[in-house]
Amino acid sequence: MKLSESVLIQGLRSIVGEANVLLGEQISDDFLKERRGRFSSQTMGVVMPGTAEEVSALVRFCKQNSLPIVPQGGNTGVCGAAVSVEDSVIVNLARLNQIRKVDATGFTMEAEAGCILANLQAAAKESNLYLPLSLGAEGTCQIGGNLSTNAGGVNVLRYGNARDLVLGLEVVLPNGDIWNGLNALRKNNTGYDLKNLFVGAEGTLGIITSVVLKLFPLPVHRSTVLIAMESVENAVELFSRTRKETSDFASSFELMSRVCVESAFQNIPDCKDFFDQPYPWYVLMELGDSTRDGISQQLSESFLESAFEDGIVIDAVLATSEKQSQEMWRLREAIVEAQLYEGKSIKNDVSVPLDCIAEFVEQSISTLESLIPGIRPFAYGHIGDGNIHLNLSQPRDMDGDEFFGRWHEVTDIVHEITDGLNGSFSAEHGIGLLKLREMTRYKSSVELELMRSLKMALDPDNIMNPGKVLPGSSH
Ligand SMILES: Cc1cc2nc3c(=O)[nH]c(=O)nc-3n(C[C@H](O)[C@H](O)[C@H](O)COP(=O)(O)OP(=O)(O)OC[C@H]3O[C@@H](n4cnc5c(N)ncnc54)[C@H](O)[C@@H]3O)c2cc1C
């Protein structure tokens, strides 16, 4: 028998307490709206459990009553994966926010899934250690959300993405069982690697409640350099040299086109130009080390010298203080914000093999400019990972809604070119609701069937974030 909504709400309250079930006007837009404004939630309520046992009881209750669940972290995802479209219950993990242990000998950290990423970074730093996962949303996103999206960010080059940083997980499965896989071992070959099922699953296979993460030596010496260049080809060549000539000390290698930085100068007050003339492309590079005397600065100086001599670099500014380094990073981070002032924009998050980056950028921009004259491409991204965000701003003289109406036409072109270069249509943001069409188009039937089998095995009633990731998986 289907229970009435008020009885269901009573049931949820009995598990987590009345104050932790938000209803109606108690639910702010922070829980309901996706950051880019493309998706917003319909929900019976937002439930905020405080322990893994409460999560487990909630899941059992929802399963018994066929109530779909949307796990939610900081709701900073950009594909509509944490929004509720089927009147589901949003289970927000913010109250699971304890950092349990920082182990300075084993270089690990154990924490609950609702911890905000920036708080984990700070806790590692207090112990003179480093949690390298770093992204623009780090003050709001939660580690459970980071793992569920397999987040990337600015340090993937050296340290890998979220998947590479996790050693153990605790997960509440769709039947309510708690799987305790919270080990801190670097070596553990005991059957299937279950944790990797849940990393990048976007909450469709279970709710992550705790994590064990790898930590690293804190890079106390850093060298941040802003480099001006003529072409994307030169940026790729410089990247290859950086890896070879700096003992792989580079943690970030970020590409920005002139259009991007120009928009930041115009729209964001604290952004400034470091050169006395414009250049077509820029790279923001960072090297870091934890040696006693520090060798990053010396390494970047000597290697840039040879790149100058070979004509790969036109100009470069080495940050001489922490403040200047922050100003350079501010320029990179301001691009997303600056583009908001340029009207509507169609976003992409693709990756291609490194030797195809220049071809991808050139081919995409020229095809799109013929399709929509006046379209303004903002090309930037984590070039060392082959991950380019080719975001397209509307032509100045076009209506924003008319431009948005061409979303599929534009993304189809970018994704076709990406696919032709053996790339991926989603490098780091995931699928959610936004890229279901692409899953059907670019994933083989074998891959999709394998994913469906896994989903069916773990969640036969399809209560865990239905409709996301897998095409046709709505409740
Ligand atoms: C300004 C800005 C910059 C960004 N930069 C980057 C970037 O550089 N790299 C990058 O990869 N992403 C980036 N993102 C995207 C976003 O921040 C990441 O995807 C982030 O990892 C999402 O974390 P969250 O806690 O906000 O998750 P949410 O948005 O709340 O959820 C994302 C997905 O994870 C699931 N989920 C959340 N918590 C759990 C849990 N405990 N258990 C199971 N499933 C869960 C949700 O159901 C959903 O499917 C950026 C976003 C913004 C707004």
Side-chain angles (χ1 to χ4, degrees), residues 35 70-78 81-82 93 113 134-137 141-142 144-146 148-153 202-203 206-208 336 382 428-429 465:
R35 303 278 147 166
V70 177
Q72 190 181 70
N75 195 23
T76 68
V78 287
L93 279 294
S134 174
L135 42 133
C141 61
Q142 299 173 9
N146 299 143
S148 300
T149 54
N150 187 23
E202 299 182 35
I207 303 183
I208 299 174
V336 179
H382 318 295
E428 59 176 10
H429 292 161
N465 215 359

Side-chain angles (χ1 to χ4, degrees), residues 387-403:
N387 177 192
I388 303 295
H389 300 302
L390 183 64
N391 293 344
L392 294 317
S393 280
Q394 63 179 85
R396 290 191 199 283
D397 55 359
M398 193 185 223
D399 174 69
D401 289 336
E402 186 191 339
F403 182 62

